[in-house]
Amino acid sequence: MADLKARIAKRCAKEFFDGDFINLGIGLPTMVADYLPEDVVVTCHSENGFAGIDVVADESNLNVDIINSGGTYVTAVPRAKFFDTAESFGLVRGGHVRATVLGAMEVAENGDLANWIVPGKKVAGMGGAMDLCAGCPEVIITMLHTQKGAHKIKPACTLPLTAEKCVTKIITEMAVMDVTEEGIKVIELHPDFTKEEVQEATGVQLIWADDLKPYQED
């Protein structure tokens, strides 16, 4: 599973361009910072109060004062800036963050997102996900395609929503998909899977791009 999550994070890192200012949510999305191309300058925002997330820290470079929004020790690029929560969310609400990468429990065919609570289970709470979904032009979901075989991409979310019609792209270990007015369109397919396997793992009828490409791993 760790290898599959790394595959997803590595593919997601290819979505960004020189000069981008992006947000990385908790969990799998934080791994994206580890795979950003060295020749591309991307500044990663963490909602708990800094811009300039670098790779996850280890024993050689751990600073107990630098954590991401999920509480993981991370490193920071030399140009990093630290600030309070008001400024952090001002950047998000002001539309200054081009894209956010979030995890998901469920994504609906129309782009609705549920990623913050399962009723009856203890969770940390909404955090900044609602603001990020409303304030960022692009909402990219990185997640495993199914949950123990159960569909996560559905006609409609059954869990409490984080935001409505906010998701623009979904990246799983199986495929890369755009959320369109017509439905969910597969634009890249991983060679480990067939179209039939991806469709079976998905709770809605998929649209296949005419120019379907292989999943970008290199």
Side-chain angles (χ1 to χ4, degrees):
M1 185 178 293
D3 288 344
L4 294 180
K5 289 183 177 180
R7 173 193 292 178
I8 296 165
K10 187 176 182 180
R11 172 58 188 84
C12 184
K14 297 180 184 296
E15 289 294 308
F16 308 115
F17 306 97
D18 209 41
D20 274 349
F21 184 38
I22 66 170
N23 170 272
L24 301 179
I26 65 173
L28 195 162
T30 63
M31 298 171 62
V32 173
D34 293 357
Y35 298 100
L36 291 169
E38 294 183 2
D39 59 344
V40 174
V41 178
V42 176
T43 301
C44 299
H45 167 270
S46 185
E47 67 201 61
N48 59 313
F50 81 100
I53 301 172
D54 206 349
V55 299
V56 173
D58 57 32
E59 293 181 0
S60 68
N61 56 14
L62 189 148
N63 182 332
V64 296
D65 293 323
I66 303 179
I67 61 171
N68 62 25
S69 57
T72 300
Y73 292 115
V74 293
T75 56
V77 298
R79 65 183 183 279
K81 179 181 180 182
F82 299 87
F83 34 73
D84 60 25
T85 302
E87 183 171 349
S88 181
F89 279 89
L91 289 167
V92 174
R93 294 170 182 173
H96 302 290
V97 183
R98 186 182 76 77
T100 182
V101 182
L102 301 173
M105 297 171 184
E106 294 178 342
V107 179
E109 188 172 21
N110 69 348
D112 289 352
L113 172 65
N115 79 340
W116 74 282
I117 191 170
V118 175
K121 293 189 178 182
K122 185 177 180 180
V123 295
M126 175 68 75
M130 187 181 292
D131 292 88
L132 290 162
C133 289
C136 297
E138 292 188 40
V139 177
I140 301 170
I141 298 302
T142 54
M143 66 179 189
L144 294 172
H145 206 98
T146 63
Q147 175 64 33
K148 296 181 179 178
H151 292 155
K152 296 174 71 173
I153 301 173
K154 301 182 173 185
C157 294
T158 59
L159 296 172
L161 292 184
T162 304
E164 296 180 344
K165 297 181 179 179
C166 62
V167 178
T168 55
K169 189 180 293 288
I170 306 168
I171 301 174
T172 75
E173 76 279 15
M174 290 184 161
V176 180
M177 294 154 279
D178 285 336
V179 180
T180 73
E181 290 293 332
E182 293 74 33
I184 295 181
K185 179 183 287 187
V186 183
I187 59 172
E188 293 180 20
L189 175 65
H190 196 281
D192 285 353
F193 302 97
T194 64
K195 287 184 177 182
E196 292 74 18
E197 287 172 330
V198 176
Q199 181 59 71
E200 185 178 353
T202 308
V204 301
Q205 186 62 45
L206 294 169
I207 302 167
W208 297 90
D210 292 337
D211 59 343
L212 181 66
K213 296 177 174 61
Y215 195 102
Q216 297 181 50
E217 283 201 281
D218 297 328

